[in-house]
Amino acid sequence: TALVIRALGLVVGKIVKDELDDVADVAVYADVAVLSVKRLIATDTITSAAQALIETNELDYDTSQVTTRRVGHVLKKMRFSNGRVSRATKRGWMVSLEDVIRWANSYGLEARAITGIDIRPHYTNGNNGSNGNNGNINAVADSTALNPWQGVL
């Protein structure tokens, strides 16, 4: 599963980099339009990315064991939705950058390392608000103002 997440990060990171090619610094500031866009990625593309990761990083996996069927089962277990653009195209999976980041974090992988994109979190710490006034102790409260239903029953 971790290998498939790395392969997804590689593929989705490349797609996002190509989409954001206009920007000199490829940094995603948690833009909803970039993070949540679902992209259709073919199963054989993810499989070839996983096999390339095995060969380049010299991982202890057998590349003949990494097949499209096994990758498809892993993606199905991860609850990605599968789809097809038309009958002429191959089957694929709807994957967003947000999904890759979430799965990478849950498996202890660093999203920046597997996608190649500087992903900045959307949360920032702001200043705390100032304290409010508690009221005047010396003011006498009108009893009817505090309880307008007094004496009704």
Side-chain angles (χ1 to χ4, degrees):
T1 308
L3 178 66
V4 173
I5 293 170
R6 287 182 185 171
L8 278 174
L10 182 71
V11 173
V12 173
K14 172 120 178 65
I15 291 171
V16 170
K17 282 182 198 176
D18 291 344
E19 288 176 359
L20 297 176
D21 202 18
D22 307 342
V23 183
D25 180 29
V26 182
V28 179
Y29 293 96
D31 187 14
V32 174
V34 175
L35 285 176
S36 63
V37 172
K38 299 271 187 184
R39 295 161 181 89
L40 182 70
I41 301 171
T43 309
D44 61 347
T45 305
I46 301 167
T47 304
S48 61
Q51 291 171 345
L53 281 172
I54 290 170
E55 291 174 4
T56 57
N57 295 334
E58 298 177 358
L59 299 174
D60 291 333
Y61 292 102
D62 186 13
T63 55
S64 64
Q65 295 293 322
V66 180
T67 62
T68 56
R69 179 171 278 185
R70 287 187 180 200
V71 169
H73 283 293
V74 169
L75 291 170
K76 189 176 181 181
K77 249 182 11 182
M78 294 169 68
R79 296 185 180 187
F80 284 112
S81 60
N82 57 357
R84 182 185 278 190
V85 177
S86 66
R87 287 189 176 261
T89 60
K90 295 183 177 180
R91 290 181 181 232
W93 298 89
M94 301 300 292
V95 181
S96 68
L97 182 60
E98 186 177 30
D99 294 334
V100 173
I101 293 169
R102 183 173 41 87
W103 278 104
N105 289 338
S106 67
Y107 272 78
L109 302 171
E110 189 170 342
R112 290 180 188 177
I114 64 172
T115 59
I117 299 173
D118 184 20
I119 303 165
R120 309 248 170 91
H122 65 278
Y123 54 86
T124 56
N125 291 335
N127 293 332
N128 290 335
S130 62
N131 292 333
N133 294 331
N134 289 330
N136 190 356
I137 295 174
N138 296 329
V140 177
D142 185 15
S143 64
T144 59
L146 291 176
N147 189 359
W149 298 103
Q150 184 176 8
V152 174
L153 295 175

